[in-house]
Amino acid sequence: MYAVIMLEWKKSIQDRGLLFWTLVLPIIFTVIFISIFSSGLSGSERQQVIVSIVSGYTVMFVFFIMISMVDSFIKDCNIGMVARISSTNLKPHLYLLGKWNNYMYIVIIQIVILTLFGKIVYNIPLGQPVHILILYLFLTIMVTGLGLALAMTVRTLNMGIALTQVIALGGAVLSGLWIPVEMMPSFLQNISKFLPQYWAHQALQDAMEGTIQLGDLFITILVLLGFTILGFVIALLGYPGFLKRAKG
C-alpha cells in the first residue's frame, strides 16, 4: 500500500490540472462573488456574506478532486497497473486505501490554503478552530470516499467529469452554497437536508462564527461519516467490475 501512496504523490505533483481545480479556480470564484454580493454592505452583514461564500465555495470546490481521482483510476486501468496489482498479494481494499490516502492529503492542503486565503484577505473569523478542524477532517474523508465510489463506477473520464460537475454544482445550488437556504423554496430546503454539502456548510458557518453547539457538530459528523461509509462500500462493490475492465 505504501508503494501505491508514493506513486500517487508523484503523479499528483505533475498534474497541473489538479492545481487549477483545487486552488486557482476557487480563489477566483471567491474573489468575484465576494466583490459582487458584499458590495454596499458593511459591518456584520458583510462579514456574514463573506463567511458564507468562503465556507460555501470551500465545500463546493473540494468535490472537484473527484475528477483527478477518476482520471487516476482510469489510467491505472488502461496501462495495466490494476491487472498487475491484482496478480500480487495486495488486497483490493488496501489498493483503494492507498489511492484514497493521497487524495485526502491533497484535499486537506486545499482546504487549509483556501481558509488561510479567507483569513488573510478577508479576515474571516475562526471562532471555534478545533470544531472547524474536525469538520474539515470529516469533509475530507467524505468527499474522497465518494470520489472512490465514482471512480469505481464510471467507465470514461468524460463521464466522471460530467458527474462530478452535477454533484459539485448541483449540490451547491440545492444545498445553499450559492443562495442562502432561507431564500430557497420550502421543497428545496427539504431536499437540501439530504445532501452532505448542506450539513458541512451550515456547520462550518456556525463554527467560524463561534456559535455551533456540540449536538449540531455531532449530527454533522455522523452525516458526513455516513456518506463516507456509503462511498467506500460502493467502491468495494464496484471493484470487481472495475477489474474486469482493466487491460493486461
Side-chain angles (χ1 to χ4, degrees):
M1 187 175 76
Y2 178 75
V4 175
I5 294 173
M6 295 307 298
L7 179 61
E8 283 304 301
W9 263 113
K10 291 179 181 179
K11 291 193 295 184
S12 297
I13 292 173
Q14 299 171 355
D15 186 358
R16 295 182 180 180
L18 184 61
L19 178 63
F20 176 77
W21 287 110
T22 57
L23 295 177
V24 177
L25 193 61
I27 287 175
I28 291 173
F29 265 66
T30 300
V31 171
I32 291 174
F33 279 84
I34 286 179
S35 64
I36 293 173
F37 289 105
S38 66
S39 178
L41 300 178
S42 61
S44 61
E45 288 185 345
R46 186 174 187 275
Q47 177 178 286
Q48 187 176 2
V49 169
I50 291 174
V51 168
S52 177
I53 291 176
V54 171
S55 59
Y57 282 14
T58 299
V59 172
M60 180 177 74
F61 277 101
V62 295
F63 278 85
F64 283 95
I65 194 66
M66 291 180 175
I67 295 175
S68 294
M69 295 181 73
V70 170
D71 184 40
S72 179
F73 277 99
I74 289 178
K75 285 179 178 177
D76 280 2
C77 189
N78 291 337
I79 66 176
M81 176 69 73
V82 175
R84 289 196 294 272
I85 288 175
S86 68
S87 65
T88 68
N89 293 327
L90 186 67
K91 301 296 183 183
H93 70 278
L94 292 179
Y95 167 66
L96 292 176
L97 286 173
K99 303 276 282 190
W100 192 1
N101 182 281
N102 172 70
Y103 290 102
M104 282 194 286
Y105 286 129
I106 292 173
V107 172
I108 288 173
I109 293 171
Q110 175 191 13
I111 288 173
V112 169
I113 292 176
L114 293 179
T115 303
L116 287 175
F117 174 81
K119 181 63 177 177
I120 294 170
V121 178
Y122 297 106
N123 194 30
I124 59 171
L126 301 174
Q128 295 169 299
V130 174
H131 295 36
I132 292 172
L133 288 174
I134 292 172
L135 289 168
Y136 279 160
L137 174 63
F138 281 93
L139 174 63
T140 297
I141 63 172
M142 181 274 296
V143 71
T144 49
L146 293 181
L148 282 181
L150 185 64
M152 289 294 101
T153 53
V154 301
R155 294 178 178 270
T156 66
L157 177 58
N158 286 337
M159 186 182 298
I161 292 173
L163 288 176
T164 297
Q165 291 175 338
V166 170
I167 294 170
L169 301 180
V173 173
L174 294 175
S175 301
L177 274 58
W178 287 5
I179 303 172
V181 174
E182 297 77 13
M183 297 176 61
M184 296 165 57
S186 58
F187 75 96
L188 289 180
Q189 293 184 35
N190 293 329
I191 292 174
S192 68
K193 294 176 182 177
F194 290 93
L195 302 175
Q197 292 99 318
Y198 166 82
W199 294 94
H201 185 217
Q202 296 300 314
L204 279 172
Q205 287 185 93
D206 291 343
M208 287 179 175
E209 296 287 358
T211 60
I212 192 170
Q213 302 297 316
L214 286 178
D216 295 330
L217 177 66
F218 184 69
I219 292 173
T220 301
I221 289 172
L222 286 180
V223 171
L224 298 180
L225 185 59
F227 277 96
T228 302
I229 295 171
L230 176 63
F232 192 60
V233 169
I234 292 174
L236 286 175
L237 294 176
Y239 185 81
F242 174 73
L243 185 58
K244 289 180 181 178
R245 300 193 297 272
K247 295 181 180 180

